[in-house]
């Protein structure tokens, strides 16, 4: 058995919610999932459910186009902060970019509940975005295998024997739909498929959300698989199927090769599929793209990926920003928008405090004037936790503004404002008890969310445009440098048949027990989980979930981002572009604060751990989405505190 377990590998599951924002709205509004439903932000769509996709609606459609395609579809506008709101509301009338600020908080809260289930089911999990996570199930899988072997009646299994694996009920296999195979790795995947079904069934039972999963021996392959059979299906990639699968795979579908970097490789080598890269030696790839990227490419095109499932570190700061169109010219207007940003940060800070028992020391207020190349920043202290109210940040920023100093105080108009908080410090025990008191007296609606991802997105990503897929990374980012931050993959001269142990690879527990024959192992010990809800709509996703590219429909739009690579980030209107610019500004400011310069930060490249939002993190606490950009959440303490506060009024404070 010990020898046999040495022939095992890691087992990774990637789980991704189906049409996530739509499902949140279905559950909130009690609308059956077979009703076509889209989530809109202003006039654009940011999520389309599968019934609406069947009617031809796509994410890049606007509401008018979508209504024509499917008159019976329901359109739900995302929650917004309007004048006087201390929490985001589902406004339906008169929603305007000029008066409202979008909040994706309901989705972030739903995400926290989902992640809590993932974490409960698999302590070694990594949140990869608001609606997806990687689970390293190696330990749990090997434990189940050992337990079943131990309880098996026969004990004469020798080390060379290969277990027989029955794939019935495991999900959809990539490639040949075999019903049986042999081998320890296949056995691991089969057990992982069983656990994956249990987890998906739990998510559905507790939250009524369906999700899809990919099951494979590494993160890249698992991610590729989870999008192959959406919605509500899981897909298993056996080692034997890896090479044929990778051979035909378009390079751009591989995690981290979806944007500029993939194009760079394609153009440099004249290739379009992963298989076409096989003919290049690792030395050639290293010569062209640098040592670590070359090694990584050599491995990844063969389906080899050593990247560990890692806990995401906690954000070091938070930021909220708003681009102002038209530009503002009065203190009343400034006060209004500061109030909204203040509310947003207030809610997130209270949540963060409840989760992480910390409090920031510093507020930084950034103002950008139309003709200036960069913003002006001023700092002040944040009130202590017990003195902090929703208006605190607004008041401190207004005080900074009126006190003058760097010449920005009296200058109008203002094009963009951003408020950041940072310098977090752990609070003492007395403050912890306040936090716990709030939690006790007013129970949260979030079941058992204790050690969940923090509601604190990375500061740069916090202001990222919510309405569009991430544009590819900035043109100036060199492919050679991109992977330097990643754990250096060991060059491999083999094909896709094996992976080298990664530093964090979970070795199976050693065992002195000798197993019994594993013939029909799963026929007796594993049953298909029928608890997983059945698929309501067509099986195929429009595209794998990995590596989303720029929005093709808007590539000819006049609203192009000047910071992103030309043609890579186009928006349907000026408002969406402005929101996108908010993200750039926040990221640039964040980089400035880190001392890294910061004029033009690249948007996060993907949901991988290499996304730029990761750079903002440190420490060990599990935290928010790698992609960031999500808004505040409400806790009991938060709700309680807010009740004592009057609604914030527009422009009262001149
Ligand atoms: N999203 C976003 N901005 C992006 C990417 C995604 O706002 N750059 C939102 C989408 O609106 C979506 C959620 O994040 O609801 C998850 O995105 P994704 O998994 O790509 O799409 P889904 O809508 O969940 O659809 P699918 O079933 O294909 O996963
Ligand atoms: Ca999804
Ligand atoms: Ca996703």
């Amino acid at each position: 058995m010990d020898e046999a377990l040495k022939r095992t590998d890691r087992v990774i599951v990637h789980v991704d919610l189906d049409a996530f924002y739509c499902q949140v709205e279905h559950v909130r509004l009690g609308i059956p999932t077979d009703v076509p439903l889209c989530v809109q932000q202003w006039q654009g769509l940011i999520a389309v459910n599968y019934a609406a996709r069947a009617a031809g609606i796509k994410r890049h459609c606007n509401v008018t186009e979508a209504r024509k395609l499917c008159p019976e579809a329901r359109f739900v506008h995302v929650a917004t902060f309007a004048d006087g709101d201390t929490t985001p509301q589902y406004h339906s009338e008169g929603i305007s970019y000029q008066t409202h600020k979008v909040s994706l908080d309901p989705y972030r809260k739903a995400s926290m509940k989902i992640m809590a289930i993932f974490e409960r089911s698999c302590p070694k999990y990594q949140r990869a975005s608001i609606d997806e996570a990687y689970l390293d199930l190696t330990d749990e899988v090997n434990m189940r295998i050992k337990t079943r072997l131990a309880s098996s009646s026969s004990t004469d299994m020798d080390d060379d024997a290969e277990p027989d694996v029955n794939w019935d009920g495991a999900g959809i296999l990539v490639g040949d739909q075999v019903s049986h195979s042999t081998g320890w790795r296949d056995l691991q995947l089969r057990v992982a498929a069983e656990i994956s079904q249990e987890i998906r069934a739990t998510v559905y039972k507790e939250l009524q959300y369906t999700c899809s999963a990919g099951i494979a021996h590494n993160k890249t392959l698992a991610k590729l698989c989870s999008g192959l059979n959406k919605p509500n299906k899981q897909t298993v990639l056996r080692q034997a199927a890896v090479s044929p699968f990778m051979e035909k795979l378009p390079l751009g579908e591989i995690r981290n090769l979806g944007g500029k970097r993939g194009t760079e490789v394609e153009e440099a080598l004249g290739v379009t599929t992963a298989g076409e890269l096989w003919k290049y030696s690792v030395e050639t790839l290293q010569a062209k793209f640098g040592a670590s990227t070359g090694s990584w490419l050599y491995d990844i095109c063969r389906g080899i990926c050593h990247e560990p499932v890692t806990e995401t570190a906690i954000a070091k700061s938070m930021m909220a920003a708003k681009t102002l169109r038209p530009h503002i010219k009065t203190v009343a207007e400034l006060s209004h928008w500061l109030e909204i940003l203040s509310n947003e940060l207030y809610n997130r800070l209270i949540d963060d405090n409840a989760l992480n028992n910390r409090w920031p020391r510093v507020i930084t207020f950034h103002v950008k004037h139309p003709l200036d190349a960069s913003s002006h920043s001023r700092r002040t202290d944040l009130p202590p936790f017990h003195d902090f109210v929703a208006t605190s940040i607004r008041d401190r920023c207004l005080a900074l503004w009126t006190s003058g100093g760097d010449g920005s105080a009296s200058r109008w108009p203002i094009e963009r404002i951003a408020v950041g908080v940072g310098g977090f410090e752990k609070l003492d025990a007395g403050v912890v008890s306040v936090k716990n008191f709030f939690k006790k007296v007013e129970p949260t609606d979030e079941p058992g969310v204790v050690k969940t991802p923090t509601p604190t997105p990375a500061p740069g990503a916090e202001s990222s445009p919510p309405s569009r897929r991430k544009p590819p990374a900035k043109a100036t980012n060199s492919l050679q440098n991109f992977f330097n931050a990643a754990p250096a993959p060991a060059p491999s001269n083999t094909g896709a048949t094996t992976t080298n142990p990664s530093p964090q690879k979970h070795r199976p527990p050693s065992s002195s027990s000798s197993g019994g024959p594993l013939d029909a192992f799963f026929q007796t010990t594993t049953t298909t989980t029928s608890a997983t809800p059945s698929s309501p709509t067509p099986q195929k996703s429009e595209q794998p979930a990995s590596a989303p590219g720029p929005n093709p429909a808007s590539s000819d739009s006049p609203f192009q981002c000047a910071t992103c690579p030309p043609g890579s980030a186009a928006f349907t209107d000026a408002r969406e572009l402005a929101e996108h610019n908010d993200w750039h500004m926040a990221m640039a400011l964040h980089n400035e604060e880190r001392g890294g310069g910061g004029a033009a930060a690249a948007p996060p490249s993907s949901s991988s751990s290499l996304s730029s939002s990761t750079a903002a993190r440190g420490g060990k606490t599990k935290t928010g989405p790698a992609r960031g950009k999500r808004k505040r959440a409400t806790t009991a303490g938060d709700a309680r505190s807010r009740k004592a506060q009057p609604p914030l009024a527009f422009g009262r404070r001149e």
Side-chain angles (χ1 to χ4, degrees):
M1 182 64 191
D2 284 345
E3 282 306 306
L5 283 177
K6 281 183 195 154
R7 298 199 293 273
T8 60
D9 202 347
R10 290 188 302 160
V11 197
I12 311 293
V13 174
H14 178 261
V15 194
D16 183 281
L17 275 286
D18 303 317
F20 178 48
Y21 294 179
C22 296
Q23 288 203 75
V24 174
E25 300 304 342
H26 277 291
V27 171
R28 182 179 70 86
L29 298 167
I31 298 171
T33 49
D34 56 359
V35 173
L37 182 145
C38 307
V39 175
Q40 72 180 94
Q41 178 177 317
W42 319 125
Q43 285 307 299
L45 302 184
I46 57 172
V48 178
N49 78 353
Y50 281 80
R53 292 183 203 189
I57 302 178
K58 293 189 164 55
R59 209 196 309 240
H60 64 255
C61 293
N62 63 35
V63 175
T64 314
E65 291 160 355
R67 272 194 212 287
K68 273 190 210 143
L69 286 165
C70 184
E72 67 276 17
R74 298 279 301 266
F75 294 87
V76 182
H77 197 285
V78 294
T80 50
F81 283 97
D83 183 16
D85 289 340
T86 53
T87 54
Q89 306 291 324
Y90 276 97
H91 296 283
S92 53
E93 300 291 315
I95 307 170
S96 157
Y97 175 81
Q98 295 187 343
T99 51
H100 293 61
K101 187 176 194 310
V102 160
S103 167
L104 301 177
D105 185 50
Y107 312 129
R108 196 172 58 75
K109 288 181 76 175
S111 176
M112 289 170 70
K113 295 177 188 174
I114 295 161
M115 297 298 154
I117 293 175
F118 291 161
E119 185 177 26
R120 212 167 75 206
S121 316
C122 173
K124 201 168 171 58
Y125 91 105
Q126 176 182 354
R127 182 178 183 168
S129 83
I130 194 165
D131 79 330
E132 60 194 81
Y134 294 97
L135 314 180
D136 184 336
L137 290 177
T138 314
D139 287 347
E140 172 67 17
V141 160
N142 289 343
M143 203 180 72
R144 285 196 190 192
I145 291 175
K146 284 192 70 176
T147 306
R148 287 175 196 176
L149 283 176
S151 64
S152 157
S153 52
S154 307
T155 54
D156 56 351
M157 172 115 180
D158 68 52
D159 276 348
D160 293 331
E162 293 287 337
D164 189 31
V165 180
N166 178 352
W167 290 102
D168 286 350
I172 299 168
L173 300 184
V174 174
D176 296 339
Q177 301 301 302
V178 295
S179 58
H180 286 266
S181 66
T182 54
W184 290 103
R185 289 184 187 171
D186 276 7
L187 180 60
Q188 285 184 298
L189 292 178
R190 181 62 186 86
V191 176
E194 165 193 315
I195 299 170
S196 169
Q197 281 171 323
E198 291 166 7
I199 294 170
R200 291 171 53 229
T202 304
V203 171
Y204 188 76
K205 184 162 170 264
E206 293 187 13
L207 303 171
Q208 289 78 57
Y209 300 143
T210 66
C211 46
S212 301
I215 299 141
H217 288 300
N218 63 52
K219 285 170 77 172
T220 296
L221 295 176
K223 165 92 178 166
L224 282 166
C225 288
S226 66
L228 289 179
N229 295 290
K230 272 181 160 278
N232 199 23
K233 292 275 184 294
Q234 62 181 46
T235 305
V236 183
L237 179 52
R238 297 172 51 230
Q239 193 60 46
V242 170
S243 287
F245 175 68
M246 294 304 295
E247 185 175 16
K248 302 268 180 288
L249 189 77
L251 216 50
E253 290 184 11
I254 297 175
R255 216 160 45 106
N256 301 321
L257 288 176
K260 174 81 184 154
R261 295 178 182 93
T263 312
E264 208 176 307
V265 176
E266 285 173 9
E267 287 173 359
L269 302 174
V271 298
T272 54
T273 63
E276 286 166 340
L277 273 185
W278 293 354
K279 60 178 175 280
Y280 296 98
S281 68
V282 69
E283 291 78 16
T284 305
L285 294 174
Q286 286 180 325
K288 278 197 179 299
F289 304 109
S292 67
T293 300
S295 294
W296 179 83
L297 275 173
Y298 185 88
D299 281 350
I300 213 71
C301 68
R302 293 166 169 79
I304 298 170
C305 160
H306 304 287
E307 192 183 308
V309 172
T310 47
E311 294 184 356
T312 316
I314 195 168
K316 288 180 176 168
S317 58
M318 289 182 203
M319 186 172 285
K322 177 75 180 172
T323 295
L324 304 158
R325 302 239 187 274
H327 302 158
I328 59 169
K329 295 182 178 131
T330 67
V331 173
E333 291 170 308
L334 177 61
S335 174
H336 165 66
W337 287 112
L338 278 173
E339 208 168 85
I340 285 176
L341 299 189
S342 189
N343 271 329
E344 186 179 335
L345 284 172
Y346 167 81
N347 288 309
R348 288 169 50 207
L349 278 173
I350 297 293
D351 280 356
D352 180 76
N353 172 264
L355 286 172
N356 300 317
N357 187 33
R358 61 180 190 158
W359 196 246
R361 280 181 292 109
V362 182
I363 304 175
T364 313
F365 178 37
H366 312 271
V367 174
K368 183 179 178 308
H369 301 287
L371 298 176
D372 293 356
S374 61
S375 63
H376 300 264
S377 304
R378 318 202 70 208
R379 282 169 187 249
T380 191
D381 292 341
L382 190 79
F385 179 72
H386 53 269
D387 288 343
F388 186 69
V389 293
T391 48
S392 296
I393 292 176
R394 179 199 65 179
D395 293 346
R396 299 260 162 145
C397 289
L398 280 172
L400 280 176
W401 174 254
T402 49
S403 67
D406 68 349
S408 63
S410 57
R411 288 175 57 200
W412 304 100
I414 295 174
E415 181 184 356
R416 209 177 291 154
I417 56 171
V419 181
V421 292
F424 281 91
E425 286 175 345
K426 277 280 172 203
L427 293 181
D428 59 25
V431 180
V432 177
S433 67
V434 173
K435 175 195 79 180
N436 292 338
F437 168 76
F438 280 143
K439 279 211 170 268
K440 236 187 240 166
V441 293
E442 224 168 304
T444 173
D445 61 349
E446 295 173 3
V449 181
V450 180
K451 196 187 159 204
T452 54
T454 169
T456 312
E462 172 53 30
S463 297
S464 88
S467 59
R468 288 290 165 240
R469 295 198 166 267
K470 296 173 293 299
K474 193 171 177 295
T476 51
N477 281 358
S478 151
L479 181 71
Q480 295 206 5
N481 295 329
F482 181 58
F483 293 103
N484 288 343
S492 166
N493 295 320
T494 63
T497 53
T498 186
T499 58
N500 296 329
S502 69
Q504 294 194 24
K505 180 170 177 173
H506 279 211
R507 300 309 303 170
S510 64
S511 164
S512 56
S513 68
S514 58
L518 294 180
D519 290 350
F521 183 74
F522 278 100
Q523 285 169 353
T524 52
T525 56
T526 308
T527 52
T528 305
T529 53
S530 55
T532 309
S534 61
S535 168
T537 46
Q539 313 296 309
K540 286 278 168 196
S541 65
E542 289 171 37
Q543 58 176 23
S546 62
N551 181 349
S554 49
S555 58
D556 55 353
S557 159
F559 303 105
Q560 305 275 342
C561 174
T563 310
C564 293
S568 66
F571 299 89
T572 47
D573 60 33
R575 291 178 298 273
E576 286 190 348
L577 177 58
E579 295 248 334
H580 175 83
N581 283 333
D582 285 345
W583 183 89
H584 275 301
M585 182 196 186
M587 198 63 201
L589 293 172
H590 167 70
N591 285 344
E592 273 171 21
E593 284 178 13
R594 290 168 52 227
S605 60
S606 79
S607 56
S608 83
S609 62
L610 298 174
S611 72
S612 51
S613 60
T614 311
R617 297 158 191 272
K620 283 283 173 217
T621 312
K622 292 193 180 194
T623 188
R627 188 165 61 199
K629 84 184 162 56
R630 309 301 169 192
K631 310 301 179 200
R632 58 154 298 283
T634 306
T635 62
D638 174 24
R640 184 186 171 89
S641 322
R642 275 198 316 275
K643 276 179 195 153
Q645 295 160 20
L648 303 171
F650 176 51
R652 271 201 200 133
R653 214 202 134 76
E654 189 158 15

